Amino acid sequence: MKKVLFLMVLLVVCSPLSAAADPFSYPVKTIILNAGHGGHDPGASYAWSFAGGTVYERDLTLDITKRLHALLAVSHPDLQLVMTRSDDTYLTLEQRCEVAYSQSLKAQSSALFVSIHVNSAQTKEASGFEILTKQQNKRVTFLDEKTPIENISLFSSHSLLSLNRLLNHRNLVVASNFEKTLSERLVTSRNRGVKERDIYVLNASRMPSVLVEVGFLTNEEDARNLVSPQYRQRVAQALATAIELCL
């Protein structure tokens, strides 16, 4: 029944005479902030004596995400800010993406999904931040029975191939903005560049998205920075500036 209703609505809103505007070129009015891991999924972890014990990725990502949310709420009160989790809760990858694509977007506006993580490696030499973006050959679905009715008209004038091409282009712009900003703001951190990766939340969020690895928990210098509240605030400020470039 839901699928039949979806198809009926799709037929109504589709107009072959309407101009096929790029749905990802509209001003960003909705930001989805995803703090990686949580609950029984700690993510990366490492024990450092200077930290007083084991440091968990889930705690660092949540702290940075909360700081980022607070900064954006003050500087851009008109934005719709959504956190996939606001406490130490476990969410599946599917649930995180559903939070993203279930948001009803304002007319002629777009959304951005920002996932925040902390890296780890077998070698302690690995350090720095990196920006992950969706692999361009991964095809994203935009229209199905889960699509909010308000969002159907954004995508219905395009073919699936066209939408994915437009999404890939926007993803590269977003990733470039994040790399440039973090490189300028986190000057002591190594810039590991932009990398395409086959990551579920980048494929299934159905919107321009980026996953930011803010440092390596297994590297002493990075870890010393990450356990510092002052440094986490700097990271949040850098992320906020990068998001502002995407608005």
Side-chain angles (χ1 to χ4, degrees):
M1 183 63 184
K2 289 177 63 179
K3 182 170 287 189
V4 172
L5 178 61
F6 162 76
L7 291 173
M8 291 175 62
V9 173
L10 184 59
L11 288 173
V12 171
V13 300
C14 286
S15 171
L17 299 178
S18 60
D22 178 354
F24 311 117
S25 67
Y26 290 126
V28 174
K29 298 296 184 182
T30 302
I31 308 288
I32 313 298
L33 302 176
N34 179 52
H37 307 282
H40 64 75
D41 173 16
S45 63
Y46 204 84
W48 291 103
S49 59
F50 56 79
T54 302
V55 184
Y56 296 99
E57 178 182 3
R58 67 184 176 203
D59 301 325
L60 298 174
T61 60
L62 181 59
D63 180 85
I64 293 170
T65 303
K66 284 183 173 181
R67 292 172 184 271
L68 175 57
H69 183 280
L71 289 169
L72 292 173
V74 172
S75 62
H76 296 279
D78 56 320
L79 288 177
Q80 180 183 8
L81 301 174
V82 181
M83 295 177 64
T84 58
R85 69 180 182 99
S86 58
D87 55 22
D88 190 18
T89 300
Y90 172 77
L91 293 173
T92 65
L93 298 179
E94 293 86 349
Q95 288 173 319
R96 295 169 190 267
C97 292
E98 187 172 359
V99 169
Y101 65 67
S102 65
Q103 300 298 316
S104 297
L105 303 181
K106 298 177 182 178
Q108 295 188 334
S109 74
S110 60
L112 176 64
F113 182 92
V114 180
S115 190
I116 300 169
H117 283 258
V118 176
N119 226 332
S120 66
Q122 291 185 337
T123 172
K124 292 184 179 180
E125 303 305 313
S127 67
F129 71 86
E130 59 189 20
I131 312 300
L132 306 185
T133 188
K134 181 185 78 69
Q135 285 185 341
Q136 297 212 359
N137 62 352
K138 289 291 179 178
R139 185 163 293 189
V140 174
T141 296
F142 296 93
L143 290 170
D144 60 17
E145 65 275 11
K146 296 180 180 179
T147 306
I149 292 176
E150 299 85 349
N151 299 352
I152 292 176
S153 61
L154 280 172
F155 308 121
S156 57
S157 297
H158 291 272
S159 68
L160 183 61
L161 179 61
S162 173
L163 284 170
N164 275 272
R165 285 176 175 169
L166 293 170
L167 177 64
N168 285 340
H169 172 73
R170 184 59 184 167
N171 274 338
L172 292 178
V173 172
V174 169
S176 177
N177 286 340
F178 272 77
E179 181 194 18
K180 176 179 181 294
T181 304
L182 267 64
S183 181
E184 293 173 349
R185 296 302 182 95
L186 305 179
V187 294
T188 61
S189 184
R190 177 188 173 196
N191 179 358
R192 301 174 64 88
V194 175
K195 301 176 181 179
E196 290 187 18
R197 289 289 185 270
D198 184 11
I199 296 175
Y200 187 91
V201 294
L202 300 181
N203 297 330
S205 56
R206 306 188 182 189
M207 61 182 61
S209 57
V210 66
L211 189 151
V212 184
E213 298 275 9
V214 297
F216 280 79
L217 199 51
T218 45
N219 176 268
E220 182 173 353
E221 182 178 354
D222 279 8
R224 284 185 181 275
N225 283 333
L226 289 168
V227 299
S228 163
Q230 292 79 13
Y231 185 80
R232 294 197 299 274
Q233 185 69 17
R234 283 180 55 198
V235 171
Q237 289 169 337
L239 293 171
T241 301
I243 289 173
E244 287 174 343
L245 290 178
C246 302
L247 298 181

